Amino acid sequence: MAAGRLPPGALTLKQFLRRQQVLQLYRKILRAIREVPAEQDRRYLKEWAREEFKRNKDATEEDAIRMMITQGNMQLQELQRTLKLAKS
């Protein structure tokens, strides 16, 4: 395939890298949720995360996606801080 020719529906490099960031954030959130001691809270948080990512899966605007990733990372850090405090 010649350079500059992508099959229809193929992601650009920028889109591919952004997608990887989103997937990495999702995995990190799910890993952090596993540390929550109460089963009911784990289920709630897992469902919340799933719904948030599902709700925003069709976002295409670069600035909006960057903002959502930033917010997701902040929420992940807050969850990790809360879990750390709960353990101490």
Side-chain angles (χ1 to χ4, degrees):
M1 183 170 283
R5 285 186 144 174
L6 293 174
L11 298 176
T12 64
L13 178 60
K14 194 174 199 176
Q15 289 170 327
F16 176 80
L17 293 174
R18 194 64 71 203
R19 182 175 186 273
Q20 293 306 309
Q21 282 183 307
V22 171
L23 292 173
Q24 184 180 37
L25 174 61
Y26 185 64
R27 285 187 212 105
K28 284 180 182 179
I29 289 171
L30 291 180
R31 280 189 209 107
I33 289 171
R34 283 190 220 146
E35 303 297 318
V36 173
E39 173 66 30
Q40 186 175 1
D41 292 339
R42 273 195 312 271
R43 270 188 271 132
Y44 170 79
L45 289 170
K46 191 174 180 180
E47 185 61 30
W48 167 81
R50 182 180 292 128
E51 287 302 316
E52 282 296 307
F53 278 83
K54 212 183 270 190
R55 185 167 57 90
N56 294 304
K57 74 176 188 164
D58 294 324
T60 56
E61 189 179 321
E62 185 68 26
D63 290 337
I65 295 169
R66 267 199 318 269
M67 183 189 70
M68 287 185 273
I69 291 171
T70 301
Q71 287 177 333
N73 278 313
M74 288 175 12
Q75 290 171 335
L76 172 60
Q77 289 173 357
E78 183 64 32
L79 175 60
Q80 290 169 332
R81 277 193 297 267
T82 303
L83 289 170
K84 190 174 181 179
L85 284 174
K87 288 181 182 180
S88 59

